[in-house]
Each structure stands twice: as C-alpha cells, then as structure tokens.
Amino acid sequence: MPKLVLDQVSIRYDGQPRPAVERVSLSIANGEFVVLVGRSGCGKTSLLNVAAGFLSPADGKAAVDGEPIVRPGADRAVVFQNDALFPWLTARENVAFALRLRGVAPAQRSRRADDLLSLVKLQGSGDKRVWELSGGMRQRVGLARALAAEPKFLLLDEPLGALDALTRERMQTTLLDIWAASRAGVLMVTHGIEEALVLATRIVVLAPHPGHVVGVFEPTFGRRYLAGEPIRNIKADPAFAAARGDLTDAIFQGEPA
Amino acid sequence: MTMSSYSERPVAKAERPDPVAVPWPPVRRRSGTVSARTISAVTLLALLLAWTLAARLQLVSPVFLPSPLAVWGKFLSVAQQGFVDATLFQHLVASLGRVFAALAAAVLVGVPVGWAIGATTIGRGIFDPLLEFLRPIPPLAYLPLIVIWFGIGEPSKVLVIAIAMLAPIALSTAAGVRGVSRERINAARSLGATRVQVVRHVVLPSALPSTLTGLRIALGAGWTTLVAAELVAATRGLGFMIQSAAQFLVTDVVVMGILVIAAVAFALEFVIRRIERALVPWAGRD
C-alpha cells in the first residue's frame, strides 16, 4: 500500500534564526484523508511543500514508499489555493495537461478529461476558458487536473480558502465524493475547523514557533456522509458540535481566549 | 428586499416617498452628457475648420500652410503620378519594407536576448546594461556612426530602425519571462512536467503576451525612426519623400507625407492589437 511519510522533518528558511517547523512526523496511507490545521505560522503549508517536493527539509526524511522525495512528481499532484490553472488552455485542456505531458493521444486525453470534468460536476464546460469560470468551478477544474495525473497522493493547499462560504460548503461534499472515487491518499491544509472535521479521517493539529504537532483527532463524519447520511444532519449532530469545540481548544491552547 | 419590491412598484414611490426606504438618487448618465469619442471628433473637425479658414483667408502664406484641399489634391496626384520618381504607394512600400525587415532582425535578436535576461543571471548581467545604455540614445545620434561603419546602403537604414526596436522587444520579453507565476510552474512540475516541458508549456505561453506588447511598441518606435533612417542616400520612402519636398519648399507634400505616416502608424497599431487579441486572448486575464 502506498505510503507518504514525513519523518522527524525540520524546515528552515534562509535568514530566519528559528526553524519554521521542528521534528514533525506524519504518514499518509492510501485511502486516508489527513488534514493539517493550526494557527498562522505553524508551518502547515511548508510541510505540504516538502511532501510535494517544492521544498527540501533541513533535517529529517520525506519519502513515498521508501523512495526519498527529491523533486515534484505526478504521484503527488498539488491543488493550490489560487487554482493556478493555465489561462491559455481551455478547461478540458487544463484537465488533460498531465496526459499531454505523457504523450497520450489527443482524442484519448480529451475523452479522459471529459470523464473527469463529469466527476467534478462540470460536464459540458470543457470548452470554456478559465476566465469564464467562477471561483468554485476553477477549483473543481484544478481538482480534475490533479486527478488526471492519477496520483497516489493528492496534496491540497487550502483548496477552498479563496471561495465564498456557500460554495465552500458545497465543495466539501464534492471533495469527499472525489476522494471516495479515487481512493488516493489526501494531505490537505486548511484554516477551516468545520471543513477539517467533515473531510478528515485524521486531523493533525500544529502549533507555531516553531511548528510542531500538538494533537491528533480521528473524526468519522466524512465516512458517515459517504455511507449515505445527509451532510446537514451530520453537522447538526451534537457530536459534531462537541468535536468542533475540542478541535478549537486544541488549536488555540496556550492562547488567551 | 426593500430595493426589489421598491423597483417593482415605481408608482408607489412617486406618490409616497418613504424617507427611509428611498435610496440614493439613481446614478444615471444625464441625456445631455457626451462621450469622449464625440469630443475627439469635434476637436478634429474644429482643427480642420480652423486650418481651412486660415488657408482660405490667406492668414498664412500657402508656402507655410497649404489648404486641406491642396493637400488632398497632392495626395491624389502623388498617388497617381508620383513625386521624386516614385508613386506614393512605392514610397510606402519602400518604408514598410525597411520597417518590417528591421522588425524581423530585431525579433531574431531581441527575443533570445530577452529570454537570456529573463531566465539567466549571466544573461541579465551581460545584456541589461547594454540595453539600458542603448535605449535612451536618439537614432539621429548613432546614425552617423552607422553610416561610417556600414556605408550608405540599405543595410544601414534597416539597422538604424532595428536598433530602435531592439530594446522594447528584449525588455518586454524579459519582463514576461521573469513574471511567470511561480505557482503555475509548481503546478506543472507536480503534474510531472520536466524542465523542458515547463519552459515549453508554461513559461512560453506566459511570456508570449509581453513579447507581442514589445513588438507593438517596437513597431511604433521603428516607424518613428523612419525619417531619420531615410536621411542618408535614400531614393524612395515616405521619410525621403518628405525631406525632398522640404528642400524644394513643396509644403503640401510635406504635410501630406506627415498625415500618411500618422495614418499608417495608426493602422499598424490597430492590426497588431487585433493579432494580439486573436493570438493571446488570455493576456491580462489573471
């Protein structure tokens, strides 16, 4: 089973006296949905960048199936907060990008891209230009583009952070559906407490100065949604409110209320 | 809510304006307002009228200011019979030929130089100061040197124009290459792109709009340099036509030549903007 492991990872930025992250260990197995939460400066995006291969750790090891991570690769496709789509391509061509890099024939990659656009509920929008899409639609194209690479792991860097509150709600369930369909391992960074609870199979709480792990939660709300329970029911469950309280406490512990 | 129900029943508002519900006075263009386009047209017409009056009333001698009608007549006669051994069209073709030859040369040199500046430290170190040195020099200043070095033939004229075009093309391209979004490059790499693929699929299309903008600016700069380039030993060209006419005080040809140069510049700008819209519709849409 594919496994992405960060082992005792420390991250330093040039010119900064203290490390941004100190000795954090994480592991994401296939089929897991791991969410990193924490206050600003806790290094959650830095950790994701290490997993992506954009950043090398000052100390510790990052590996996929025992292979050290030394550069970005299609086995760890990234979705960014500001979609980072290519405006010179249509929505379909954006989704097909990874396939084009691999030399897949045009007809075949178009068909695959259309399938993925349907998966993210954007069927019929393949010919649209990036600037004709709303923020939520762009983010879904970004997801489809990452899925086209058939990654073992999806790395989501605040993928819903730039969306309005209502679009965000809807995108949470879309994310769960996509994750269930792909069975990839997911590592996601977010500021949203509810979002973390709805999506994660494991929440890793980080605290800043320097970034370190202060708590781990294993919620089951996402599984309940995938088992068929309506998301509004789940969010109205007193257990959900209790979990939100616990997670909030863990994030803000040591800080005056 | 108040807003929508309010607009559904405009009569009620007129009858009984509620001081709380009534919003700001509607911001609407008064019917008497004129657009900038109309003002421009009126300005041009007024200038033309003033010009006609000044010429008709002989306020200024025709040697200094020929009437618009005389200029139009000259346009027709030069178009048909020609001036200094060539028709207007032949002059135009000669000038356009030089400018486009220069453009081709400037693109061949400027685009690679721009990429070198934008993508590599060594390139920036070498070319940046050279371009910054070259950029502010007026073409008339280096024209004599070019004639000393390369003689008075056609290559010198093309070279003068090409030098004026080089900096805009190279610097715009460099800005485009340097301005590529880090996130887009990272996105491509995380989808499996190699270094070469990143350049081909991300940096190139990102930089293309800037290069085209540089081309448009360069074409304007080159066209401006035309008269200078045709100062020395030309036998054809719009700039040459104007200079010869000036030597014989044929002012109507001078004025006509200026207007033709302006019109061609306008047309070139229009065409390039069209090409930009067709080729890089994503420009400025981030």
Side-chain angles (χ1 to χ4, degrees), chain B residues 159-249:
Chain B
L159 191 59
V160 169
I161 302 173
I163 290 174
M165 288 176 156
L166 192 62
I169 292 179
L171 294 177
S172 292
T173 302
V177 171
R178 220 173 311 168
V180 180
S181 134
R182 187 78 233 163
E183 264 196 352
R184 291 207 177 110
I185 291 179
N186 278 344
R189 290 170 72 207
S190 93
L191 293 168
T194 61
R195 235 164 242 286
V196 176
Q197 283 176 322
V198 166
V199 171
R200 157 82 186 75
H201 294 292
V202 181
V203 185
L204 192 70
S206 293
L208 198 56
S210 301
T211 299
L212 282 180
T213 304
L215 226 102
R216 179 159 50 80
I217 296 168
L219 210 50
W223 196 241
T224 313
T225 315
L226 191 67
V227 179
E230 292 175 349
L231 265 176
V232 182
T235 55
R236 254 175 213 183
L238 293 173
F240 162 74
M241 184 185 84
I242 290 177
Q243 285 163 46
S244 325
Q247 277 161 17
F248 303 113
L249 275 183

Side-chain angles (χ1 to χ4, degrees), chain A residues 1 3 9 15 42 66 70-72 77 80 116 137 141 164 166 180 206-207 210 212 217 225 235:
Chain A
M1 188 129 95
K3 204 163 191 179
V9 161
C42 70
V70 288
R71 65 174 71 85
F80 298 86
L116 287 164
M137 291 162 94
V141 174
D164 67 85
L166 297 178
L206 298 162
H212 61 286
F217 292 78
Y225 164 78
K235 285 188 179 176

Side-chain angles (χ1 to χ4, degrees), chain A residues 53-54 72-74 76-78 80-82 84-88 97-98 100-101 129 131 145-146 149, chain B residues 181 183-194 197 200-203 205-206 281-283 285-286:
Chain A
F54 299 145
R76 288 156 284 130
V78 181
F80 298 86
Q81 178 175 6
N82 301 308
L85 296 178
F86 306 124
W88 47 89
F97 189 78
R100 184 171 165 202
L101 295 177
R129 289 297 191 150
W131 60 84
R145 180 177 69 174
Chain B
S181 134
E183 264 196 352
R184 291 207 177 110
I185 291 179
N186 278 344
R189 290 170 72 207
S190 93
L191 293 168
T194 61
Q197 283 176 322
R200 157 82 186 75
H201 294 292
V202 181
V203 185
S206 293
W282 63 86
R285 302 245 202 190
D286 288 300

Side-chain angles (χ1 to χ4, degrees), chain B residues 5-25:
Chain B
S5 59
Y6 163 71
S7 60
E8 277 164 75
R9 288 182 285 120
V11 187
K13 165 221 156 193
E15 283 170 1
R16 196 166 48 85
D18 180 341
V20 181
V22 169
W24 298 97

